[in-house]
Amino acid sequence: MLNYSDVRIGSNYKQWQDGKCITLTFCITEDCNLACKYCYMVGKNSKRKMSFDIAKKIVDFVLQNEYLCQEDAVIWDFIGGEPLLEIELIDQLCDYIVAKMYVMNHKWFDKYRFTFSTNGTLYGDPLVQKFIEKHRGHTWFSISIDGTKEKHNVSRIKKDGSGSYDDVVKNVPLWLKQFPNAANKATFSHNDLPYLKESVLHLWDLGIKHVMANVVYEDVWQDGDDLIYENQLKELADYIIDHNLWDKYGVAFFNPTVGLPVDGECLSRNRCGAGYKSIAFDCEGNFYPCIRFLDMCFNDHRKIIVGNLKDGINYDRLRAFIALNWKNQSSAECNVCQEGKGCGWCVAYNYEMSTNDTIFERNQAICKMHKANARANKYFWRRFEETTGRTSQMTIIKSSAPNAEYLKFINFITSDHVTPHCGYQVAKKDVHELSYDTLQKGIRFCKENNLVPVFLGKCNHGLKADKNQFFELLSSKEVYSQNNYINIYDNDVRSVDEGSNVAILLIDRKHIKDIFSFCSELSKCKKRTNLFIQDLPNWDEGSISEYDTQIVLLRELLEECINNNKRYHINVLSDLIYLQSPRDCGAGTTSISLAPNGKFYICPAFYFENENNYIGDLEEGIREIDKKYFLRRLSPICSYCGISNCSRCLYINKKLTNELHIPPKVQCQVNRIHQREAEKLKDFMVMKGLLSSSNKNLIEKPEDPFDKIYLQKAKETPVCNV
């Protein structure tokens, strides 16, 4: 491969350790001495600032936390607001950090940096300079300068409306003397695009060799902005080539990978590492995946807290962030984009703009701007090749690159007090019944879409239909119809009906110890029991242990049935053996639910949790749902798992991890118990000659797929480290 050490344009500006460290960001204050127009921190408060006591407690927690200390190096990052407004507090805190790491003989003692994102107006302050001198060699400052005075003052203004350019630029010579290889952050938005070329050249003239320029991710772009952007970049490209500047300066807009097709490596990587490569702390001691998840950064979305000083880290909340990657975060269009490489986005902004309160819904506001950048980038490297006679790195990279489910059922929720049929609970104060009008519209919807109605509870409107056209899931205490029905036993099997071969057994935490006895009773007249846990979010390790004991007994019960030539199946064990392909509950894919209010829901649990969680109604139909949230093969965790039968309860996922397709630890724990005992049952059946030893439906080891992903992610360098 050719040596491109002399090509500065297109080279990556390497941050410390190439991102192979954890970044711990302190929002030391929300106050700022500027009022930049494009700032994403829309809710800054001049009164909220971190106390030294809170900051110390955060440091103490971090240095003793195994999860946060896995990396070999650390960046202690300070941001605001404007962090240098609190330089005295920061100085005191950094002294404490160094002393604490020394006393603990911590592995980070000689592998740390203090970094600052600052507007630069206070850089020359004597207290700031004293701090830099004290921590020389362990300090890094990034100063935001947007370009020419005219461009900079368009957005980076003081609170009185005047520009801040002069206040910043006067400190640049000192900054570059102390940090000669420093890069600055230049941000472009709709109003200042015409200044792009001139601004980059101006920053180079100031002595800043590498400009970390970008356009904002937010949806601020107007028709024609992409053309202005492309033309500005092409003019900049011409200037660089015509004046032979490609070996002297760098700018983020021109990189050999920008605008190439996405590949497997792209699809499997996280954009920024929020939640596992970075953790942020607010003034009150709450923990966040990154600084942009603080409430001051959102207009109408709630902040995502992943822990606090009192309770520690909520690891279930972090699972979604660790599992996050390009593929499961993006649309089908993005995943096959022929110009996708180098396209940037922000996980927090995705969350803020999502329609489903999720980080797995990529906002595409920057799409046309990225494609404009891609076109200009290809133009630059083509001109580079034509002018120098050299093969560009872009050409080398390009030449070396390697070239289901359908809705079947609708669950009719007949009443707000209906007996639940799986892992949810009913706790509505008001009682709404399924009206005759809603019933008829629902049946008509089923006929028009070739769907089978499933009634949760007894239909009291004298529905006339062939018995094969619908099912009823009925409480064991209800009067049974002549139609197809399944008994539901809600933590009670005192009255076992012999009419149906299938039973649904609901179990809550208080009745775990009764699982074996309940199933034993059901086995006397049923051929199958579907076991569902109602309150899994409330389970603790003691609950898991007792459940483990009960599942062992259930496996022994099935073995006894086999010995007695009796046919009896339990879903959590038998299905793992007999299923030929993975199966879950089908919520959102093969089934949805219709509530008494005439609205559709992913499943009944979402209706009973919050009526506003609907996904359509009888008037407008079902809105388009992104299948990545519902299909096992697209789940960033479940796709790694070989367990054949798992509810993958979307409701529990959402409740505990905030994401539909990210299971919490407890759900995986339960299913690994099922898997382990199913393996033993399989071996027993092989011994009895009832199953071939070549059966490969079960995986060999009951591993948590999350563990595999985490180990992989821990070794990964995020695409974006800024």
Side-chain angles (χ1 to χ4, degrees), residues 34 119-121 123 143-145 152 156 164-173:
L34 298 186
N119 58 40
T121 58
Y123 186 83
I143 293 180
S144 296
I145 313 172
H152 183 96
R156 303 192 68 80
S164 63
Y165 177 86
D166 291 337
D167 300 84
V168 179
V169 170
K170 69 180 182 182
N171 293 317
V172 169

Side-chain angles (χ1 to χ4, degrees), residues 307-321:
N308 55 60
L309 287 172
K310 178 183 177 182
D311 302 318
I313 298 174
N314 185 331
Y315 294 99
D316 274 338
R317 284 296 174 109
L318 288 181
R319 289 168 75 88
F321 291 90

Side-chain angles (χ1 to χ4, degrees), residues 562-691:
I562 292 172
N563 283 330
N564 295 326
N565 294 317
K566 178 179 173 59
R567 181 184 176 189
Y568 183 55
H569 300 296
I570 301 175
N571 62 325
V572 298
L573 294 174
S574 305
D575 288 359
L576 270 69
I577 296 173
Y578 293 113
L579 287 178
Q580 297 301 309
S581 60
R583 185 186 71 183
D584 47 42
C585 77
T589 53
T590 59
S591 70
I592 58 171
S593 298
L594 177 65
N597 60 8
K599 299 184 184 298
F600 292 114
Y601 297 82
I602 295 171
C603 81
F606 288 89
Y607 168 68
F608 290 111
E609 174 78 12
N610 186 343
E611 291 186 19
N612 293 321
N613 289 328
Y614 60 89
I615 58 172
D617 55 49
L618 285 169
E619 302 301 325
E620 301 295 330
I622 305 167
R623 66 171 180 255
E624 185 67 25
I625 302 175
D626 194 333
K627 293 296 185 184
K628 71 184 175 193
Y629 301 113
F630 303 96
L631 300 181
R632 177 192 290 260
R633 68 175 184 271
L634 299 179
S635 168
I637 290 180
C638 300
S639 60
Y640 283 75
C641 183
I643 297 179
S644 299
N645 188 57
C646 171
S647 68
R648 295 182 62 246
C649 180
L650 304 179
Y651 168 70
I652 293 175
N653 292 354
K654 186 68 175 178
K655 192 173 183 67
L656 294 187
T657 72
N658 199 52
E659 297 292 345
L660 290 169
H661 57 347
I662 302 294
K665 180 180 179 181
V666 65
Q667 191 158 218
C668 294
Q669 283 179 302
V670 165
N671 281 284
R672 291 202 304 279
I673 293 171
H674 299 163
Q675 181 192 37
R676 186 198 68 217
E677 293 307 305
E679 282 282 356
K680 295 179 181 178
L681 180 61
K682 182 190 76 171
D683 292 341
F684 178 83
M685 294 176 68
V686 170
M687 182 187 68
K688 288 288 187 176
L690 300 174
L691 193 69

Side-chain angles (χ1 to χ4, degrees), residues 359-419:
I359 62 174
F360 288 89
E361 188 175 304
R362 180 174 170 183
N363 184 276
Q364 295 177 251
I366 201 174
C367 179
K368 67 177 184 179
M369 302 301 288
H370 169 71
K371 290 180 177 179
N373 191 168
R375 293 191 298 270
N377 190 51
K378 292 174 182 176
Y379 174 84
F380 172 84
W381 290 109
R382 184 169 64 252
R383 279 221 59 197
F384 172 85
E385 292 183 339
E386 294 170 350
T387 304
T388 65
R390 301 170 64 173
T391 303
S392 73
Q393 194 69 14
M394 187 175 198
T395 298
I396 294 173
I397 296 171
K398 188 175 181 179
S399 62
S400 62
N403 288 329
E405 290 77 2
Y406 301 95
L407 187 61
K408 299 175 183 176
F409 306 97
I410 290 186
N411 299 316
F412 286 69
I413 304 171
T414 60
S415 167
D416 285 347
H417 283 185
V418 69
T419 301

Side-chain angles (χ1 to χ4, degrees), residues 34-88:
L34 298 186
C36 302
K37 295 178 181 179
Y38 53 58
C39 184
Y40 57 80
M41 297 179 180
V42 295
K44 293 192 293 291
N45 187 313
S46 62
K47 297 180 181 179
R48 280 203 292 263
K49 54 188 68 178
M50 190 175 290
S51 68
F52 181 58
D53 182 60
I54 291 291
K56 277 179 41 182
K57 289 179 179 177
I58 293 171
V59 172
D60 292 342
F61 176 86
V62 166
L63 293 178
Q64 298 176 53
N65 184 272
E66 185 177 350
Y67 172 82
L68 297 176
C69 293
Q70 292 181 89
E71 298 289 350
D72 291 332
V74 61
I75 291 177
W76 303 93
D77 183 45
F78 299 96
I79 197 169
E82 169 51 49
L84 297 187
L85 289 171
E86 297 296 323
I87 188 61
E88 292 183 79

Side-chain angles (χ1 to χ4, degrees), residues 520-571:
S520 295
E521 187 66 25
L522 290 170
S523 72
K524 295 176 181 179
C525 60
K526 304 292 182 182
K527 293 182 178 180
R528 177 181 176 89
T529 296
N530 289 337
L531 175 64
F532 294 105
I533 302 167
Q534 285 185 294
D535 56 352
L536 193 58
N538 299 326
W539 282 28
D540 55 20
E541 290 301 320
S543 307
I544 296 291
S545 179
E546 180 58 39
Y547 186 75
D548 193 336
T549 301
Q550 293 293 310
I551 296 300
V552 172
L553 294 174
L554 289 189
R555 187 257 301 165
E556 293 174 350
L557 172 64
L558 293 179
E559 290 176 354
E560 182 182 348
C561 289
I562 292 172
N563 283 330
N564 295 326
N565 294 317
K566 178 179 173 59
R567 181 184 176 189
Y568 183 55
H569 300 296
I570 301 175
N571 62 325

